[in-house]
DNA sequence: TTTCATGTAACTTTAAATAATACGTGAAAT
DNA sequence: ATTTCACGTATTATTTAAAGTTACATGAAA
């Protein structure tokens, strides 16, 4: 399995956008994330459709956040990127005729469902404003002088 | 990401073994699991080292369970197969110096750690005996006549 | 001594995420 | 108007870990 890092990627990108007043280009965001501009457009595309960010073409264009950070939770972002799988484990067959497999799947499914519910509940409790505040707290605890010293690019 | 199904696979195999008195060969287990004998040996190898099963070579050889089903929990099995990742998401390590990324990772890690702890706690509460009982209950709720009608192979 | 069955290493295939390429659309600057 | 900038997206390639496969060695029983 290749671990999915879209959620952390999107959150990272959004917080970087939040530190700026002007639109940020996919190019600039990609550089900050050490990835490709197309990847940025793909993951932000879902957020645009959900109304969290706006994109503008042409000179001076780029991406801007459309809602107050306090009104966006990690759960919102998770939903907007298409609710990718949270659990790394599945089972071999979905509709098994084998009753042994049914018993095993039932036990695993129950546990995984509860763990997922816990995760989503946690996600819903964390807003981007809180993440931004955490970032600023980390910055204050450091000797460097400005925001620019703490973010890449 | 390719979902990991080793845990469900091992549990499945163990319950099948539990339904028999004689050793089961990797060949027979593989047929029941629709997979390859080598895969069976690989996943059972860890359990053998942990003392949950025993393997014997030669005529009449194969795999047998070494402990009472009530003394083996799903958590034991999870540990014995090497504690594979439970969560499908990781975070990018591209910019570890970035405080924004640190803030995001901290929030995600907290949630994921709690979800993993919940999962492992649940695993520790379920014994193979309970899974076997669930299997027999499912069998009793069905019109077919014998164990053989409900397990593959 | 032949056959059966596990023990393992090495290699191939597969699934999902990510990266890269190429080309299209629309907006602003000149 | 035309050029430049920046997003939109389809297509293809790369990467990673799991799963499958092959090959050969070891050891026990017939």
């Amino acid at each position: 399995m290749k671990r999915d890092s879209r959620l952390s990627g999107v959150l990272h990108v959004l917080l970087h956008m939040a530190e700026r007043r002007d639109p940020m280009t996919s190019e600039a965001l990609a550089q900050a994330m050490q990835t490709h501009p197309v990847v940025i457009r793909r993951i932000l595309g879902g957020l645009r459709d959900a109304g969290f960010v706006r994109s503008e073409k042409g000179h001076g264009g780029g991406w801007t956040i459309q809602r107050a950070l306090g009104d966006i939770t990690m759960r919102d972002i998770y939903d907007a990127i298409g609710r990718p799988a949270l659990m790394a484990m599945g089972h071999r067959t979905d509709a098994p005729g084998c009753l042994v497999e049914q018993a095993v799947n039932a036990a695993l499914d129950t546990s995984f469902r509860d763990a997922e519910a816990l995760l989503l509940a946690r996600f819903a409790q964390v807003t981007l404003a809180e993440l931004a505040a955490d970032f600023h707290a980390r910055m204050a605890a450091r000797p460097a002088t400005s925001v620019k010293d703490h973010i890449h690019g």
Side-chain angles (χ1 to χ4, degrees), chain A:
Chain A
M1 174 220 301
K2 198 173 189 175
R3 311 281 293 275
D4 189 327
S5 68
R6 274 175 293 177
L7 181 56
S8 90
V10 175
L11 292 172
H12 191 169
V13 157
L14 287 173
L15 290 192
H16 273 289
M17 287 167 58
E19 296 298 320
R20 309 239 190 162
R21 196 84 186 85
D22 299 330
M24 286 189 76
T25 66
S26 303
E27 180 77 31
L29 289 169
Q31 211 163 0
M33 300 286 305
Q34 312 247 52
T35 184
H36 205 276
V38 173
V39 176
I40 300 292
R41 297 199 188 104
R42 250 198 318 250
I43 58 184
L44 286 185
L47 297 211
R48 181 191 54 228
D49 298 343
F52 294 112
V53 300
R54 194 158 75 100
S55 62
E56 280 172 300
K57 295 179 177 176
H59 283 86
W63 300 90
T64 43
I65 296 186
Q66 282 294 94
R67 305 234 302 243
L69 293 189
D71 292 341
I72 308 177
T73 68
M74 297 206 306
R75 170 66 191 269
D76 292 328
I77 304 305
Y78 172 74
D79 288 344
I81 62 177
R83 301 178 187 170
L86 292 169
M87 301 294 143
M89 293 184 177
H91 20 71
R92 3 196 82 237
T93 57
D94 287 336
C98 171
L99 293 183
V100 168
E101 180 146 4
Q102 283 182 25
V104 169
N105 287 353
L108 289 175
D109 285 344
T110 300
S111 301
F112 282 130
R113 193 154 25 77
D114 289 347
E116 284 193 353
L118 174 65
L119 253 187
L120 293 179
R122 287 295 174 82
F123 285 175
Q125 286 173 338
V126 181
T127 68
L128 294 199
E130 286 163 339
L131 293 183
D134 186 18
F135 159 59
H136 284 288
R138 286 167 192 272
M139 197 166 60
R142 277 239 189 149
T145 51
S146 78
V147 170
K148 290 226 165 182
D149 292 324
H150 292 291
I151 63 183
H152 25 219

